[in-house]
Amino acid sequence: MADQTQPWAERTVEVPPQPGVGVPTQRDAFRRGVAPVGQRRTPRTDQFPAVDPADWSGGAAPRRPMGWHLAQLRRGGEWSAAGGLFAFVCWGIWAISGRGDLTAPLLTFVLSLLTAVGLFALSRLLGRLVWERQLGRVRRSARGAHLVTALFLAGVGVAYLQQTEWVVTAWNWVTGN
């Protein structure tokens, strides 16, 4: 037993063996909230990772699943949907006012929609080149491309209305021209 006059001296207490308790395992050594002291990290031998000169990825982020890309394309889709709805209503007014065969107006509207899809793809490509490659940022939505597409479709709708005689007459009457 340690010296009682010195409070800093080591004291040992013997615990009697308990039945059913065996040798502590690795898991028993873990105690929540207590960090192991005295363990040193292993030093890194390579300070910089080896660079493959044939790798052109530039340390790009890992590939994301297809569902992530589709969810990214859907964000902002309400803009394109609103522009498409406006263009469709204006096209309907123009097509019905023509009082003829709807084949040519339908083909015109389908070509306008295909042009809008191409403009959306071009906007996404420009966004990838400028926003991701040049500025090094991550695009989290397609709102910009959808907004550009919506503006185009709104312009297409206005162009359809400008070709409808009674709409132009009503507009001139309202504005006083």
Side-chain angles (χ1 to χ4, degrees), residues 97-121:
S97 296
R99 296 186 185 151
D101 188 22
L102 290 180
T103 305
L106 183 63
L107 181 63
T108 305
F109 184 67
V110 169
L111 288 176
S112 299
L113 289 181
L114 288 176
T115 306
V117 169
L119 182 64
F120 178 80

Side-chain angles (χ1 to χ4, degrees), residues 79-80 83-84 86-87 108-109 111-120 123 145-160:
W79 290 102
S80 290
F86 180 74
T108 305
F109 184 67
L111 288 176
S112 299
L113 289 181
L114 288 176
T115 306
V117 169
L119 182 64
F120 178 80
S123 299
H146 281 295
L147 185 61
V148 168
T149 305
L151 290 174
F152 170 76
L153 287 172
V156 167
V158 169
Y160 283 134

Side-chain angles (χ1 to χ4, degrees), residues 16-96:
Q18 298 175 357
V21 177
V23 179
T25 62
Q26 177 75 19
R27 185 161 173 86
D28 294 334
F30 174 78
R31 291 187 303 171
R32 186 175 181 164
V34 178
V37 179
Q39 294 180 354
R40 294 188 173 260
R41 291 184 175 175
T42 57
R44 287 186 60 174
T45 56
D46 60 333
Q47 297 230 340
F48 299 101
V51 177
D52 182 17
D55 183 23
W56 286 74
S57 67
R63 296 182 71 87
R64 293 188 169 98
M66 188 60 142
W68 183 85
H69 290 289
L70 291 176
Q72 183 185 22
L73 284 177
R74 284 188 204 111
R75 291 186 190 129
E78 62 273 1
W79 290 102
S80 290
L85 181 64
F86 180 74
F88 177 73
V89 169
C90 294
W91 169 81
I93 292 171
W94 172 71
I96 292 173

Side-chain angles (χ1 to χ4, degrees), residues 6-25:
Q6 297 175 348
W8 61 85
E10 277 188 35
R11 297 180 192 173
T12 58
V13 178
E14 292 187 24
V15 178
Q18 298 175 357
V21 177
V23 179
T25 62

